[in-house]
């Protein structure tokens, strides 16, 4: 529209340039405010299109800083949005655990596993909840559930591999870590864990003359 007006009335060209400059400056200021880690204020969130995502972002920053009470309040607001992300529910469970509200965390965790059965953040939060509650049966159920998945992220693969290693289920631990390394080749933590499992397998395997060692 500005260019059309300038074509009709060339005298408006300086004013059009000024208007574009003001719009550009306003856009930069808005991006800077939203990009600032501490600049996500309530007024901005209230008018955001995806207000649940904005509240969740603010809550995650508070959780990273150890401000659990504030994070919990923000997560509760985010969870009331019409559309809730998996990371919002996982963050809410983590905030509840760190606030000592284990019974409430269990309720949200059960619902979370039904709504997001394959999401890695939700599975990590479920493991965190089961460990905080000291529930070995639930931990074992989560272990079996993770082992049945076609692939895992690094954190869950390390947790499951270490758990199977501690249970002396070395073949399963090796399988989990090898699968994870196939997806994340070169990861030093996975490589170190797999090397430890293979070393123990070599020590405990019966020595047969002429039989090749494990590779």
């Amino acid at each position: 529209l500005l260019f059309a007006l300038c074509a009709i009335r060339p005298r408006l060209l300086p004013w059009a340039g000024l208007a574009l400059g003001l719009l550009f400056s306003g856009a930069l200021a808005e991006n800077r405010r939203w990009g600032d880690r501490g600049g996500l204020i309530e007024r901005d969130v209230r008018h955001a299109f995806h207000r649940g995502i904005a509240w969740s972002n603010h809550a995650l920053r508070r959780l990273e800083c150890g401000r659990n009470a504030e994070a919990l309040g923000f997560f509760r607001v985010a969870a009331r949005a019409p559309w809730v992300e998996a990371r919002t529910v996982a963050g809410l469970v983590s905030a509840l655990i760190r606030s000592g509200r284990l019974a409430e965390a269990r309720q949200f965790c059960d619902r979370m596993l039904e709504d997001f059965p394959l999401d890695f953040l939700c599975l990590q939060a479920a493991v965190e909840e089961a460990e905080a509650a000291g529930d070995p049966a639930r931990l074992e159920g989560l272990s079996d559930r993770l082992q049945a998945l076609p692939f895992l992220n690094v954190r869950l693969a390390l947790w499951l591999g270490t758990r199977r290693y501690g249970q002396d289920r070395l073949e399963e631990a090796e399988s989990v870590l090898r699968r994870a390394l196939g997806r994340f080749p070169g990861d030093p933590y996975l490589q170190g864990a797999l090397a430890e499992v293979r070393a123990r397998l070599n020590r405990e395997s019966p020595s047969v003359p002429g039989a090749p060692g494990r590779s």
Side-chain angles (χ1 to χ4, degrees), residues 35 49 65 103 129-130 141 146 150 156 178-179 192 199:
F49 181 72
C65 298
E129 184 274 326
L146 291 174
L156 287 175
R178 282 187 181 276
R179 279 192 292 130

Side-chain angles (χ1 to χ4, degrees), residues 89 93 96 102-117 122 125-126 129-130 135 138 142 145:
V89 188
V93 171
L96 286 169
L102 297 182
E104 193 175 356
R106 171 62 61 91
Q107 294 176 357
F108 277 99
C109 192
D110 291 339
R111 193 185 317 164
M112 173 184 68
L113 290 176
E114 291 180 3
D115 295 338
F116 308 100
C122 292
E129 184 274 326
D135 191 338
R138 190 175 178 88
L142 287 169
R145 185 172 186 165

Side-chain angles (χ1 to χ4, degrees), residues 39-58:
L40 190 59
I41 60 176
E42 183 178 351
R43 180 177 59 82
D44 298 322
V45 175
R46 191 183 300 119
H47 296 286
F49 181 72
H50 293 298
R51 65 190 63 175
I53 298 176
W55 279 112
S56 182
N57 289 338
H58 202 34

Side-chain angles (χ1 to χ4, degrees), residues 70-147:
E70 294 181 30
L72 182 57
F74 287 127
F75 276 127
R76 289 190 188 279
V77 176
R80 290 197 294 268
W83 178 62
V84 180
E85 289 185 305
R87 64 172 185 156
T88 298
V89 188
L92 176 58
V93 171
S94 296
L96 286 169
I97 294 169
R98 298 178 192 186
S99 300
R101 304 187 179 189
L102 297 182
E104 193 175 356
R106 171 62 61 91
Q107 294 176 357
F108 277 99
C109 192
D110 291 339
R111 193 185 317 164
M112 173 184 68
L113 290 176
E114 291 180 3
D115 295 338
F116 308 100
L118 300 178
D119 186 85
F120 290 145
L121 288 177
C122 292
L123 290 170
Q124 287 173 188
V127 168
E128 183 182 356
E129 184 274 326
E131 288 181 332
D135 191 338
R138 190 175 178 88
L139 282 172
E140 189 57 31
L142 287 169
S143 301
D144 295 338
R145 185 172 186 165
L146 291 174
Q147 192 158 349

